[in-house]
Amino acid sequence: MSGWFKSLKYLSWLTQAGISVATPLILCIGGGIWLSDVLPFGTIPILVGIVFGIGGALCSLLGFFKVISVESKRKSNKQPGAFNK
């Protein structure tokens, strides 16, 4: 793989990690703000949204690290091909 394709692959992984971490935070906090406007619970839905958003972001980040570690192990275990395979 050439240098440009490798750089673009890592750039796409980085942007996907950023989106995967930011999306649960934005959705959960936005849902908490909406619920606090609709229901008379005060700021409790916002706090719950923050907690769930951080939890979702951590789960997404751990999943991303798992994919990266599997990819790096797969590349490190690559054996040179034999002439008869």
Side-chain angles (χ1 to χ4, degrees), residues 22-83:
T23 302
L25 282 170
I26 292 169
L27 290 177
C28 289
I29 293 172
I33 291 171
W34 177 75
L35 278 176
S36 71
D37 289 342
V38 173
L39 300 174
F41 290 133
T43 60
I44 294 173
I46 297 172
L47 296 174
V48 170
I50 290 171
V51 169
F52 281 138
I54 290 172
L58 286 175
C59 287
S60 296
L61 193 61
L62 289 176
F64 177 73
F65 285 144
K66 186 176 179 182
V67 168
I68 295 295
S69 69
V70 167
E71 181 74 20
S72 67
K73 285 179 186 177
R74 187 175 70 170
K75 286 191 177 203
S76 66
N77 290 338
K78 201 176 231 185
Q79 299 286 333
F83 72 93

